[in-house]
Amino acid sequence: LAAHLHGQRCPPYVINLDPAVHDLPFPANIDIRDTVKYKEVMKQYGLGPNGGIVTSLNLFATRFDQVMKFIEKRQNASKYVIIDTPGQIEVFTWSASGTIITEALASSFPSVVVYVMDTSRSTNPITFMSNMLYACSILYKTKLPFIVVMNKTDIIDHSFAIEWMQDFETFQDALNQETSYVSNLTRSMSLVLDEFYSSLKVVGVSAVLGTGLDDFFLQLSKAVDEYEREYRPEYERLRNTL
């Protein structure tokens, strides 16, 4: 994503929020690792890996107003701000710091949540459903425009997943090959998610080849329109109330 935008001569402002990542494959303008030392936090507070990430984010969130000032200063220079959150989804989505950071951004800038899923590992209908339930929970938690990006289409095309989302019968046929006890639950859940699928923005991309990114930015512009139309008025109302 960063390379694509640099190629378009539209360099993004990039923020890394994952304190436990070893190597970033892209240059970051703001990196949580410069502020919070993850291993030190684990040692100091006697925490495991996930607890260390949560506490690092909590510490960083107390200074997020400064990050907001940096973003505001870069508004004219960078059209896009990319914020990379920790890979452990629940650590960011369901933590206080995740909510603080998300709401701080959404109250000031058009904000879109991008859920990246591994298409090659979702060919099993039960794994696919697990991904969709994650996506659904994040959508309802963040209450922001939402795009599902099906990555790794260079390994396998994402058309099977689109078909599963659009055709209940096809998904049922795939499930019939499964004999585990979870398949019955998955069958029920697929009916529940029908409403979720109908309004979902889905894009297939390959991070390696860069294919599908034009389609992604098309969906992104629609998501920004959705933010302006449906979400900004609500945030302005909340700000006025406060």
Side-chain angles (χ1 to χ4, degrees):
L1 197 54
H4 179 83
L5 286 169
H6 277 286
Q8 304 273 331
R9 301 196 182 282
C10 179
Y13 194 69
V14 183
I15 300 171
N16 171 47
L17 286 183
D18 189 347
V21 69
H22 287 294
D23 299 302
L24 276 185
F26 49 81
N29 301 82
I30 296 175
D31 192 337
I32 187 173
R33 297 176 304 167
D34 297 336
T35 311
V36 184
K37 299 290 177 245
Y38 166 68
K39 291 269 173 73
E40 287 300 314
V41 168
M42 280 174 67
K43 200 184 296 178
Q44 194 175 331
Y45 294 95
L47 300 165
N50 277 13
I53 293 173
V54 170
T55 306
S56 298
L57 275 168
N58 288 347
L59 292 166
F60 192 74
T62 62
R63 297 280 183 274
F64 202 74
D65 57 314
Q66 294 174 26
V67 176
M68 294 291 288
K69 283 174 188 157
F70 281 118
I71 297 173
E72 279 161 17
K73 281 181 193 165
R74 285 299 297 261
Q75 274 189 101
N76 298 326
S78 297
K79 184 180 178 184
Y80 298 103
V81 177
I82 302 171
I83 297 166
D84 194 21
T85 62
Q88 294 87 335
I89 294 166
E90 64 286 350
V91 162
F92 186 80
T93 311
W94 300 101
S95 67
S97 52
T99 304
I100 289 165
I101 290 167
T102 305
E103 289 184 354
L105 291 162
S107 63
S108 301
F109 308 105
S111 303
V112 179
V113 177
V114 179
Y115 178 80
V116 185
M117 64 179 268
D118 187 330
T119 314
S120 63
R121 288 172 185 255
S122 300
T123 52
N124 177 300
I126 293 172
T127 313
F128 171 80
M129 178 56 66
S130 170
N131 255 309
M132 289 297 105
L133 289 171
Y134 255 136
C136 188
S137 69
I138 296 167
L139 169 70
Y140 286 109
K141 177 73 170 70
T142 56
K143 300 186 184 75
L144 282 169
F146 194 83
I147 302 173
V148 171
V149 170
M150 295 185 175
N151 188 23
K152 303 190 182 177
T153 54
D154 51 295
I155 298 173
I156 184 166
D157 190 75
H158 69 298
S159 53
F160 76 90
I162 299 289
E163 194 176 358
W164 282 354
M165 293 164 82
Q166 291 174 348
D167 189 340
F168 179 74
E169 302 285 329
T170 311
F171 186 70
Q172 294 305 306
D173 290 344
L175 259 185
N176 288 338
Q177 314 302 315
E178 295 291 329
T179 53
S180 74
Y181 73 97
V182 187
S183 58
N184 285 334
L185 174 65
T186 306
R187 192 169 281 110
S188 311
M189 293 309 299
S190 61
L191 280 169
V192 174
L193 289 183
D194 203 40
E195 180 74 18
F196 169 64
Y197 292 153
S198 63
S199 57
L200 193 61
K201 295 178 181 68
V202 182
V203 187
V205 307
S206 165
V208 172
L209 303 177
T211 50
L213 286 174
D214 290 332
D215 189 22
F216 170 76
F217 281 101
L218 186 66
Q219 294 292 352
L220 187 61
S221 64
K222 289 180 185 173
V224 170
D225 290 343
E226 187 186 332
Y227 170 89
E228 296 292 358
R229 188 176 64 251
E230 294 177 26
Y231 295 89
R232 190 186 284 281
E234 180 62 17
Y235 276 106
E236 284 175 358
R237 186 186 65 74
L238 285 171
R239 195 185 291 126
N240 292 338
T241 306
L242 284 170

